[in-house]
Amino acid sequence: MGTRGRQIVGLDVDGLLATLNRALADEWLAHYQYWVGSKVVMGPMKDAAVAELVQHAADEMRHAEMVSLRIVQLGGTPVLKPADWYGLSNCGYDAPEDPFIQKVLQQNIKGEQCAIEVYDRLVKETFQKDMVTYNMAQAILADEVEHEEDLQSLLEDYEAMMERARIR
Ligand code: MG
Ligand code: FE
Ligand code: FE
């Protein structure tokens, strides 16, 4: 823990650490949802979906790295047990039990929309109170906004293609 680094935080640090551990649980669940989704997804445009899911899985793990480093800097402990992820998580986990591309994209879009809300809240809570966490949260928020748009445009392409096929 950095003692001066912790002192300058103008927020209740234990409360902030709890918020960060909830975000950390979200990131690991999001990572796994994308990772396993990339293994099972099927249907038209499967290759494009796999490429996007693999990239997002890596991004979510990088977010877990960023959030856990900040937890340690502030004197906290990153959640130690995967069994605790469900209980801590804001956004939960949607198992891709139906691996059809449309369903997998919809599930992950829902997850991204939740992540956007989580980091938008954290950005607002930390603004001018904890600039280090603020910078981290806004960087992650920008990624989650990009993720949502990537998946929504893929879903739009998929739906446009199916619509064309139906008309013919
Ligand atoms: Mg992407
Ligand atoms: Fe993330
Ligand atoms: Fe994301």
Side-chain angles (χ1 to χ4, degrees):
M1 165 176 61
T3 50
R4 183 71 70 197
R6 185 179 155 115
Q7 268 172 11
I8 60 167
V9 174
L11 289 164
D12 168 43
V13 175
D14 291 333
L16 177 61
L17 284 166
T19 301
L20 291 172
N21 256 317
R22 283 193 291 277
L24 181 57
D26 285 328
E27 294 295 354
W28 275 110
L29 291 170
H31 166 73
Y32 192 76
Q33 189 174 313
Y34 275 121
W35 181 86
V36 79
S38 78
K39 307 298 178 197
V40 300
V41 68
M42 55 177 232
M45 297 176 54
K46 176 199 145 136
D47 290 350
V50 169
E52 205 65 69
L53 299 177
V54 164
Q55 185 199 71
H56 291 193
D59 287 341
E60 308 309 0
M61 206 201 273
R62 188 169 46 77
H63 296 163
E65 181 74 22
M66 293 163 76
V67 173
S68 62
L69 283 173
R70 186 61 184 140
I71 289 170
V72 170
Q73 273 181 358
L74 289 169
T77 305
V79 53
L80 296 175
K81 298 182 207 155
D84 293 339
W85 290 347
Y86 269 81
L88 286 168
S89 169
N90 299 288
C91 301
Y93 180 81
D94 261 342
E97 281 161 331
D98 175 355
F100 196 66
I101 177 170
Q102 191 177 26
K103 189 65 200 283
V104 171
L105 291 175
Q106 285 166 347
Q107 285 177 325
N108 286 309
I109 288 166
K110 190 174 129 236
E112 292 297 342
Q113 289 175 340
C114 179
I116 287 168
E117 283 166 25
V118 166
Y119 288 105
D120 183 57
R121 231 181 297 135
L122 187 57
V123 162
K124 286 169 180 158
E125 276 168 22
T126 53
F127 180 62
Q128 292 187 340
K129 300 208 173 74
D130 174 0
M131 296 309 278
V132 177
T133 302
Y134 171 82
N135 279 325
M136 179 204 76
Q138 68 87 25
I140 297 176
L141 177 61
D143 288 342
E144 310 302 17
V145 166
E146 186 183 315
H147 288 172
E148 182 202 30
E149 201 276 335
D150 286 344
L151 299 179
Q152 283 181 334
S153 56
L154 199 55
L155 185 58
E156 275 168 29
D157 287 351
Y158 165 81
E159 281 165 355
M161 190 191 67
M162 294 312 276
E163 181 64 14
R164 283 294 289 260
R166 198 180 61 77
I167 290 166
R168 273 151 184 272

